[in-house]
């Protein structure tokens, strides 16, 4: 008698075949709802292989998606994980998402400012990759501050302080986490359907009642020109509105960095200056523009955030927000061990200071990371002494490079090659306005 052998039960057959899905999109066809649900779910389960998803992402980048496909793709990514729920809070919620830029520290003064006006801000943020900084990296330059909170800690802080900036938990849109990492290494980040669904799946799953999108345009941004930024903004506003989140988008200038600093602790210092009533005019203006949009989306257009900035209420919330996450708002922030000054080579008007080149230089100084597991230097970065429009004399300070590792100066200076242009006196910079458009 032969011994009994366990017969493995056959796996349930898959509803679709990955190759058929890829071929449909390769041949410019439209994916059906069930195909989309299946491909996202099967990819999250590891049934659709990385190379298959990478072929599909490239087909989407080349051939696009209809609005229906994008909405279904976004819903499938939301369904891949948990959804947060802030409906038990005693105040309305509003969040802001920026598509990323150089010197973009706006979340830091904005979240406490909006909270000071009575609207709760649940801000799930990320770390920087490449030349754009990450909000969590900036806040981690504050001694003691921690990014990781449980959902119940987040809810408690939202109720008691009104603002939370923390890391998104692993349970939120896990399909996007996998897909974003894959896009990063397969040249498929720039597809508008994939960017829009990636951002909006996380924001809708996060459970905010209203959302303001800051879509950056210019050399330092994903979207280099206004028409593409408008298309991305319209797609995201439709996705948010369709999911019941009051959503508006503002297109803003990223041809030149925001404010006068790019780098983690340097940007925290500048944000605290804004909360103290000072700071660079463009950072103050954009903070107020976005705060007004958030308050209005949350039904509080009657409030003027400029009051809460001027009378110190926003600063009070900032201090409580940092302390609630273990940070010491009074602790000195780190300074770099080494600096290198660059001076204006001639008299004239600064007509250009390129965001991408400044961001690359800050990154090479140690402010950013090349791989997501790399550490960042809290004190590294760039301080700008002039912005486009400034009249300079030859020998005036233009920028200062900061780092703990001076061997980095050479490559950072190489990144800055051609970053600025000094035109004869009387010239005017040809720049887009700070706020370019509003969609919603
Ligand atoms: N940010 C995201 O979260 N996803 C993208 O695809 C691009 C920027």
């Amino acid at each position: 008698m032969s011994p009994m052998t366990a017969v493995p039960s056959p796996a349930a057959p898959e509803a679709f075949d990955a190759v058929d899905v890829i071929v449909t999109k390769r041949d410019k066809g439209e994916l059906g709802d069930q195909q989309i649900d299946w491909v996202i779910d099967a990819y999250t389960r590891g049934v659709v292989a990385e190379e298959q998803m990478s072929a599909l992402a490239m087909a989407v980048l080349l051939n696009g998606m209809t609005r229906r496909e994008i909405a279904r793709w976004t819903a499938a990514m939301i369904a891949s994980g948990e959804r947060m729920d802030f409906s038990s809070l005693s105040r309305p919620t509003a969040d802001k998402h920026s598509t990323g830029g150089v010197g973009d520290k706006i979340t830091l003064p904005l979240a406490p400012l909006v909270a000071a006006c009575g609207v709760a801000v649940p801000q799930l943020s990320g770390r920087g990759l490449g030349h754009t900084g990450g909000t969590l990296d900036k806040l981690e330059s504050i001694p003691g501050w921690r990014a990781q909170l449980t959902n119940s800690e987040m809810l408690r802080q939202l109720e008691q302080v009104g603002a939370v900036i923390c890391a998104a938990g692993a349970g939120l849109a896990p399909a996007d986490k996998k897909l974003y990492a894959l896009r990063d290494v397969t040249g498929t980040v720039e597809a508008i359907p994939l960017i829009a669904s990636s951002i909006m799946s996380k924001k809708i799953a996060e459970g905010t009642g209203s959302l303001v999108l800051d879509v950056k345009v210019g050399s330092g941004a994903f979207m280099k020109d206004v028409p593409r930024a408008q298309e991305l903004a319209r797609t995201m506003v439709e996705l948010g509105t369709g999911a019941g989140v009051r959503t508006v988008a503002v297109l803003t200038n990223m041809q030149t960095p925001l404010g006068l600093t790019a780098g983690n602790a340097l940007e925290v210092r500048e944000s605290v200056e804004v909360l103290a009533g000072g700071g660079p005019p463009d950072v103050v203006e954009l903070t107020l523009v976005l705060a007004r949009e958030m308050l209005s989306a949350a039904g509080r257009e009657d409030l003027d955030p400029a009051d809460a900035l001027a009378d110190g209420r926003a600063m009070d919330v900032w201090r409580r927000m940092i302390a609630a996450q273990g940070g010491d708002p009074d602790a000195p922030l780190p300074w770099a061990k080494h600096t290198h000054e660059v001076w204006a080579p001639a008299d004239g008007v600064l007509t250009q200071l390129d965001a991408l080149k400044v961001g690359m230089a800050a990154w090479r100084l140690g402010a950013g990371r090349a791989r997501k597991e790399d550490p960042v230097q809290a004190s590294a970065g760039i301080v700008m002494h002039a912005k486009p429009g400034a009249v300079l004399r030859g020998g005036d300070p233009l920028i200062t490079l900061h780092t703990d590792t001076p061997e980095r100066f050479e490559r950072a200076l190489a990144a800055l090659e051609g970053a600025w242009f000094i035109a004869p006196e009387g010239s005017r910079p040809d720049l887009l306005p700070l706020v370019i458009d509003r969609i919603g």
Side-chain angles (χ1 to χ4, degrees):
M1 207 169 101
S2 62
M4 295 260 293
T5 49
V7 180
S9 59
E14 293 293 331
F16 293 92
D17 181 56
V19 178
D20 289 342
V21 179
I22 298 165
V23 166
T24 303
K25 196 35 80 182
R26 183 199 67 189
D27 294 345
K28 303 191 169 59
E30 222 181 302
L31 301 178
D33 289 351
Q34 275 72 38
Q35 276 183 309
I36 292 174
D37 293 350
W38 175 79
V39 83
I40 296 290
D41 175 57
Y43 176 58
T44 312
R45 288 186 283 121
V47 168
V48 169
E50 296 290 345
E51 59 271 22
Q52 293 177 314
M53 192 47 127
S54 114
L56 181 58
M58 185 58 83
V60 170
L61 182 135
L62 295 173
N63 296 329
M65 273 181 162
T66 63
R67 288 292 161 88
R68 180 199 55 78
E69 287 178 295
I70 302 173
R72 191 70 182 207
W73 186 277
T74 307
M77 295 222 290
I78 296 169
S80 73
E82 64 171 328
R83 281 187 84 151
M84 299 187 71
D85 180 10
F86 299 125
S87 57
S88 63
L89 288 178
S90 60
R91 26 180 160 180
T93 49
D95 191 8
K96 186 262 323 187
H97 179 83
S98 158
T99 56
V102 178
D104 184 3
K105 70 274 299 171
I106 300 294
T107 294
L108 274 52
L110 180 66
L113 174 59
V114 171
C117 297
V119 171
V121 184
Q123 172 93 55
L124 296 178
S125 294
R127 290 173 203 285
L129 192 63
H131 71 277
T132 60
T135 299
L136 301 182
D137 295 325
K138 295 172 202 197
L139 286 168
E140 279 175 348
S141 63
I142 301 174
W145 187 86
R146 68 187 168 95
Q148 235 67 36
L149 294 185
T150 62
N151 289 358
S152 58
E153 283 173 326
M154 187 177 176
L155 254 182
R156 192 171 342 114
Q157 186 172 327
L158 273 177
E159 189 61 54
Q160 291 173 355
V161 181
V164 176
I165 303 173
C166 65
L172 213 73
D176 177 64
K177 283 203 179 64
K178 258 188 107 174
L179 182 54
Y180 190 66
L182 179 71
R183 287 165 56 213
D184 205 28
V185 293
T186 55
T188 50
V189 167
E190 285 81 2
I192 287 180
L194 299 181
I195 299 176
S197 55
S198 165
I199 292 173
M200 294 308 292
S201 62
K202 286 173 286 198
K203 289 291 151 183
I204 296 166
E206 170 199 282
T208 184
S210 45
L211 176 65
V212 175
L213 297 160
D214 180 3
V215 180
K216 300 286 185 201
V217 191
S219 72
F222 274 126
M223 298 291 125
K224 308 290 180 200
D225 58 69
V226 174
R228 269 180 67 75
Q230 284 166 326
E231 190 191 335
L232 175 64
R234 264 187 233 109
T235 309
M236 291 196 293
V237 168
E238 257 181 42
L239 287 173
T241 309
V245 180
R246 284 178 299 278
T247 309
V248 296
V250 192
L251 267 59
T252 68
N253 185 340
M254 192 32 70
Q255 294 172 304
T256 202
L258 257 177
L260 293 168
T261 58
N264 301 310
L266 292 168
E267 292 190 44
V268 173
R269 242 181 234 108
E270 190 168 272
S271 304
V272 173
E273 281 169 27
V274 171
L275 288 161
D282 58 345
V283 179
V284 177
E285 183 186 339
L286 189 52
T287 303
L288 288 173
V289 165
L290 295 173
R292 289 193 181 102
E293 291 288 358
M294 287 169 77
L295 292 174
S296 158
R300 297 309 314 264
E301 51 274 285
D302 52 309
L303 298 171
D304 185 359
D307 295 339
L309 197 55
D311 64 18
R313 275 180 289 146
M315 177 66 103
D316 290 343
V317 177
W318 161 263
R319 296 175 59 81
R320 290 170 52 222
M321 178 181 89
I322 296 302
Q325 288 171 244
D328 176 357
D330 296 315
L333 292 164
W335 280 110
K337 295 190 181 74
H338 303 270
T339 57
H340 178 97
E341 200 91 23
V342 177
W343 292 279
D347 293 358
V349 177
L350 183 67
T351 51
Q352 181 187 310
L353 184 58
D354 183 74
L356 178 61
K357 289 178 192 288
V358 171
M360 291 295 294
W363 179 39
R364 289 184 179 181
L365 288 166
R369 51 170 70 77
R371 292 170 311 158
K372 56 180 187 313
E373 45 300 327
D374 291 347
V376 295
Q377 283 184 27
S379 55
I382 302 266
V383 174
M384 290 152 269
H385 302 288
K387 293 290 290 281
V391 176
L392 296 169
R393 296 276 149 249
D396 281 352
L398 194 55
I399 60 173
T400 307
L401 286 68
H402 291 235
T403 186
D404 288 336
T405 39
E407 60 276 14
R408 291 173 179 264
F409 282 136
E410 196 180 328
R411 291 198 67 226
L413 288 165
L416 286 169
E417 199 82 15
W420 53 81
F421 190 77
I422 298 176
E425 272 180 50
S427 307
R428 288 169 65 88
D430 180 22
L431 282 182
L432 291 166
L434 182 60
V435 177
I436 300 159
D437 198 2
R438 180 185 186 279
I439 289 166

